[in-house]
Amino acid sequence: MVYFLLDASALSAQQRIDYTAELDRNVGIANADADNPLRINLYTDFPERLILPPGVRVLSRHG
């Protein structure tokens, strides 16, 4: 399993909600970071499925 911390601060609040839901449906387990809601936590067995929209970047990756 691979963990990603994504910076989604460039997205609007609704776009972050929609993108998090899309990741949760299609890539792995995704949720808003508890410490910073502008970031998204993602746990996945399929990192190749991760597609970042413009403005979203990977802050860290483990696994």
Side-chain angles (χ1 to χ4, degrees):
M1 181 161 287
V2 180
Y3 166 75
F4 291 93
L5 177 61
L6 306 175
D7 175 5
S9 60
L11 302 179
S12 70
Q14 187 60 52
Q15 288 173 318
R16 279 192 305 279
I17 291 168
D18 294 344
Y19 183 57
T20 302
E22 179 184 328
L23 289 173
D24 202 54
R25 277 191 310 273
N26 300 318
V27 181
I29 300 167
N31 56 43
D33 187 74
D35 295 328
N36 185 343
L38 299 177
R39 295 179 177 176
I40 299 170
N41 296 306
L42 173 65
Y43 299 88
T44 182
D45 288 327
F46 307 101
E48 67 278 3
R49 293 185 186 171
L50 177 61
I51 298 171
L52 299 175
V56 175
R57 60 192 177 104
V58 175
L59 295 175
S60 66
R61 174 187 171 148
H62 302 281

